[in-house]
């Protein structure tokens, strides 16, 4: 496990609201980061699909997309296990 010490500059209001919502805990921040990374990955995939379509490429089937997702997940698991 990695411990990070961050200095965040938030408005007083945002800090109070985030604290009241329970979002300033390690667990909540980890979930927010995971969700943001998933969203970023999805946007990257969609952008790639749009480029492929614009270039005249054949759209991927849902099975092909799932194979790609599974491969990325396996690669991440392997990296995490190697780092542990």
């Amino acid at each position: 496990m990695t411990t990070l010490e961050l200095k965040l500059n938030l408005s007083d209001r945002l800090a109070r609201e985030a604290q009241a919502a329970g979002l300033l805990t390690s667990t909540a921040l980890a979930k927010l980061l995971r969700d943001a990374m998933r969203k970023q990955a999805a946007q990257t995939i969609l952008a790639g699909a749009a480029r492929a379509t614009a270039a005249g490429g054949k759209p991927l089937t849902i099975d092909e997309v799932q194979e790609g997702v599974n491969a990325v997940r396996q690669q991440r698991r392997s990296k995490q296990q190697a780092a542990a």
Side-chain angles (χ1 to χ4, degrees):
M1 176 149 316
T2 301
T3 300
L4 300 174
E5 284 190 41
L6 301 172
K7 181 177 180 181
L8 300 174
N9 293 312
L10 304 174
S11 69
D12 291 340
R13 179 179 178 181
L14 179 57
R16 280 192 311 272
E17 290 173 354
Q19 182 69 36
L23 297 175
L24 297 182
T25 66
S26 293
T27 302
L29 289 170
K31 182 183 181 321
L32 288 170
L33 289 171
R34 276 192 300 276
D35 290 348
M37 289 187 296
R38 285 185 185 120
K39 180 179 178 182
Q40 186 178 44
Q43 289 171 337
T44 299
I45 290 169
L46 291 174
R51 285 192 305 274
T53 300
K58 182 183 119 196
L60 297 174
T61 66
I62 191 67
D63 290 335
E64 292 169 325
V65 172
Q66 188 61 55
E67 286 175 19
V69 169
N70 291 344
V72 169
R73 287 178 177 163
Q74 181 58 44
Q75 186 178 37
R76 285 184 183 169
R77 280 188 214 107
S78 296
K79 285 182 183 179
Q80 289 173 347
Q81 289 172 352

